């Protein structure tokens, strides 16, 4: 029985990776968006770089929440597909999600257009930098309806087991983003040179390209074309499931990103060198996180399919995904733990910053295990449509325990900035333990009810 179980785990791990690898690559393209903006803005001067850095952080906080809402399309579509529901019926749900993309996008757009200036003014930047950051965000705000529609189609494609469609769309967006930045930031090919604001307009072009790629895919890829998402249907109450599942997912993602953003602001109290070193370590950890995130997205689909089919494999598939996350964490932790100085040297030539960044990377190595487990466990729980309790577990771990402990260790002990990283480790450990236990509890029966 043990040999059969191990064989099943290996088989499931291969199926998970088949979905996960293209999704990891797609996630990396979104990081490349930010890298393009930052590196190109650096050629325009410190003011442009600061404007894009600040504006980009504001954009990401809202993006991560609203994207989280549409992440719910993945488990819903996966469960329906696993249950053998007719493609046209699944497509009816996706169509309704697309109809909601516009009103949801308008709410997000309003927050960007009317909330950016008051929030950024609290940071006491120069008037010129604030104006540039606001212009950058207002340009990006026009992309929001396309972002919401593209996310609905993206996560529905994931739920349908078509990760290469997601990668192809992301790659097309990245190509347009690079070209758009060159043209609209620097006036390439006779376009107007708009500086940092041009990067915002390039984001609009990139998301329109991605949306166009999905439109083509949903007509050309047989499994997606069968959904007939473009055929009009009346709006029904079933689409409310998108918000029932998606709002807690958005809150989880927002809470996690905001937790790390707030601690980065707290780190500023220890000086510029500490902030720079912290940024290096967080950047490395964020890049590494793309792998367990891709595994988590794949695990959502695999678990959702099993639940919909009533096959009794949901527990196995969740554990296989978590096992893959743990395996990767051992690799990433080893790299950060054994070669921290070399990694830090890729980011800075300042010896003092590199030494401090190396110390932070050793802390990052410790939390790799917990970060991978909490991410994939969250994905497995989404596969069984369990998002409310995971939201409570995650927010409590980060905000009720992690942040206060970080503050206490940083300012009321001799640990200083290291205390903030110890708080990270504690928060992630609690989240990982709670989410893994929740998945084990929910899948204790052979068949999980959809």
């Amino acid at each position: 029985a043990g040999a059969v179980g191990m064989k099943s785990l290996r088989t499931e791990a291969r199926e998970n990776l088949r979905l996960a690898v293209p999704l990891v690559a797609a996630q990396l393209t979104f990081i490349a968006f930010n890298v393009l903006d930052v590196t190109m803005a650096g050629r325009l001067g410190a003011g442009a770089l600061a404007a894009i850095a600040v504006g980009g952080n504001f954009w990401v906080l809202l993006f991560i929440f609203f994207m989280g809402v549409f992440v719910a399309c993945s488990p819903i579509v996966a469960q329906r597909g696993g249950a053998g529901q007719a493609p046209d019926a699944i497509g009816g749900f996706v169509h309704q999600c697309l109809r909601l993309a516009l009103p949801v996008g308008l709410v997000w757009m309003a927050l960007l257009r009317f909330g950016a200036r008051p929030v950024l003014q609290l940071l006491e930047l120069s008037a010129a930098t604030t104006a540039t950051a606001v212009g950058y965000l207002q340009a990006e705000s026009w992309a929001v309806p396309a972002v919401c529609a593209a996310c609905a189609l993206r996560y529905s494609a994931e739920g349908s087991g078509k990760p290469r469609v997601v990668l192809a769309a992301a790659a097309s967006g990245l190509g347009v983003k690079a070209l758009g930045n060159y043209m609209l930031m620097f006036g390439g090919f006779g376009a107007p040179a708009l500086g940092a604001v041009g990067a915002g307009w390039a984001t609009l072009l990139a998301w329109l390209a991605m949306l166009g790629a999905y439109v083509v895919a949903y007509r050309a890829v047989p499994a997606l074309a069968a959904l007939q998402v473009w055929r009009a249907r009346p709006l029904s109450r079933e689409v409310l499931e998108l918000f029932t599942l998606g709002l807690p997912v958005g809150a989880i993602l927002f809470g996690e990103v905001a937790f790390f953003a707030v601690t980065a602001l707290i780190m500023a109290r220890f000086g510029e060198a500490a902030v720079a070193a912290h940024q290096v370590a967080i950047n490395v950890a964020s890049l590494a996180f793309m792998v367990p995130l891709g595994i988590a997205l794949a695990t959502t689909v695999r678990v959702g399919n099993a639940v919909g089919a009533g096959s009794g494999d949901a527990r196995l598939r969740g554990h296989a995904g978590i096992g893959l996350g743990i395996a990767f964490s051992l690799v990433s932790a080893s790299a950060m733990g054994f070669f921290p100085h070399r990694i830090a040297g890729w980011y800075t030539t300042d010896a003092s910053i590199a030494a401090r960044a190396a110390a932070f990377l050793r802390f990052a190595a410790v939390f790799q295990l917990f970060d991978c487990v909490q991410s994939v466990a969250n994905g497995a729980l989404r596969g069984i449509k369990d998002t409310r309790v995971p939201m409570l577990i995650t927010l409590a771990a980060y905000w009720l325990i992690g942040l206060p402990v970080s503050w206490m260790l940083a300012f009321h002990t001799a640990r200083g900035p290291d205390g903030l990283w110890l708080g990270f480790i504690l928060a992630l450990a609690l989240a990982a333990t709670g989410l893994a236990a929740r998945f084990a509890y929910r899948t204790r029966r052979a068949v999980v009810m959809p």
Side-chain angles (χ1 to χ4, degrees):
V4 173
M6 287 303 297
K7 184 178 180 180
S8 298
L9 274 174
R10 287 196 298 269
T11 300
E12 177 53 36
R14 284 196 297 269
E15 289 299 312
N16 190 300
L17 287 173
R18 183 183 65 81
L19 292 174
V21 170
L23 297 179
V24 171
Q27 289 303 128
L28 288 172
T29 64
F30 292 110
I31 286 186
F33 272 44
N34 181 254
V35 171
L36 283 172
D37 281 355
V38 170
T39 55
M40 289 184 166
R43 296 172 56 190
L44 297 172
L49 184 58
I52 279 187
V54 171
N57 285 330
F58 188 80
W59 164 268
V60 165
L61 282 173
L62 292 176
F63 173 81
I64 206 74
F65 174 77
F66 285 98
M67 179 199 72
V69 173
F70 289 99
V71 166
C73 290
S74 179
I76 294 171
V77 169
Q79 283 200 14
R80 291 181 177 213
Q85 191 172 92
D88 181 64
I90 298 173
F93 171 78
V94 179
H95 173 82
Q96 294 185 64
C97 291
L98 280 172
R99 291 179 63 178
L100 288 178
L102 180 59
V104 171
L106 291 176
V107 172
W108 180 2
M109 181 185 286
L111 291 173
L112 282 170
R113 298 192 68 81
F114 300 110
R117 187 177 298 277
V119 171
L120 296 183
Q121 285 176 339
L122 296 175
L123 302 179
E124 298 182 355
L125 302 168
S126 70
T129 299
T130 299
T132 301
V134 169
Y136 169 73
L137 285 170
Q138 290 191 342
E140 284 196 317
S141 72
W142 293 105
V144 164
V147 174
C148 290
C151 283
L153 293 173
R154 173 209 163 139
Y155 291 108
S156 296
E158 284 185 18
S160 300
K162 298 299 175 185
R164 294 186 181 183
V165 168
V166 176
L167 176 56
S172 68
L174 180 60
V176 171
K177 175 64 174 172
L179 179 62
N181 272 14
Y182 171 69
M183 293 175 61
L184 297 174
M185 294 177 73
F186 304 104
F189 301 117
L194 303 176
V197 174
W201 291 111
T203 297
L204 167 62
L205 296 177
W207 278 100
L208 288 174
M210 282 188 278
L211 179 58
Y214 282 119
V215 169
V216 171
Y218 274 81
R219 293 183 181 277
V221 177
L224 298 180
L227 302 180
Q228 300 184 54
V229 299
W230 312 117
R231 186 168 66 80
R233 283 93 154 178
L235 204 61
S236 69
R237 293 180 61 85
E238 71 169 352
V239 78
L240 294 178
E241 188 176 16
L242 177 71
F243 296 109
T244 303
L245 295 179
L247 288 174
V249 174
I252 289 170
L253 297 174
F254 180 87
E256 183 173 357
V257 171
F259 170 67
F260 283 98
V262 167
T263 47
L265 293 175
I266 295 172
M267 185 67 76
R269 298 187 61 168
F270 294 101
E272 293 182 357
V275 171
H278 177 79
Q279 189 59 39
V280 168
I282 284 293
N283 185 262
V284 173
S286 297
L287 285 171
F289 181 69
M290 292 303 102
V291 176
L293 179 56
I295 294 170
L297 293 169
T299 303
T300 296
V301 177
R302 295 296 297 164
V303 171
N305 283 157
V307 173
S311 67
D313 286 341
R315 189 182 185 93
L316 169 71
R317 293 182 178 189
H319 286 164
I322 292 171
L324 285 171
I326 291 172
F328 173 76
S329 74
L330 297 177
V331 175
S332 59
S334 296
M336 295 178 201
F338 291 121
F339 308 106
H341 292 281
R342 180 173 297 180
I343 294 172
W346 295 339
Y347 286 82
T348 180
T349 56
D350 187 306
S352 62
I353 293 176
R356 182 167 286 190
F360 288 160
L361 280 168
R362 289 193 176 96
F363 287 115
V366 175
F367 79 46
Q368 288 300 294
L369 171 63
F370 304 122
D371 205 14
C372 289
V373 170
Q374 69 84 22
S375 175
V376 183
N378 246 324
L381 287 163
R382 286 197 299 271
I384 60 174
K385 295 184 179 179
D386 187 357
T387 59
R388 292 183 184 179
V389 172
M391 175 186 70
L392 297 176
I393 291 171
T394 304
L395 295 181
Y398 294 144
W399 290 93
L400 297 184
I401 301 173
L403 189 61
V405 169
S406 292
W407 182 274
M408 181 191 70
L409 292 175
F411 297 107
H412 297 285
T413 72
R415 296 188 179 277
D418 290 353
L420 293 176
W421 280 84
L422 290 171
F424 287 170
I425 293 170
L426 175 63
L428 289 166
L430 290 172
T433 302
L435 293 168
R438 175 68 178 176
F439 182 73
Y441 171 75
R442 285 296 313 275
T443 57
R444 66 195 185 281
R445 297 186 180 91
V447 177
V448 181
M449 296 304 294

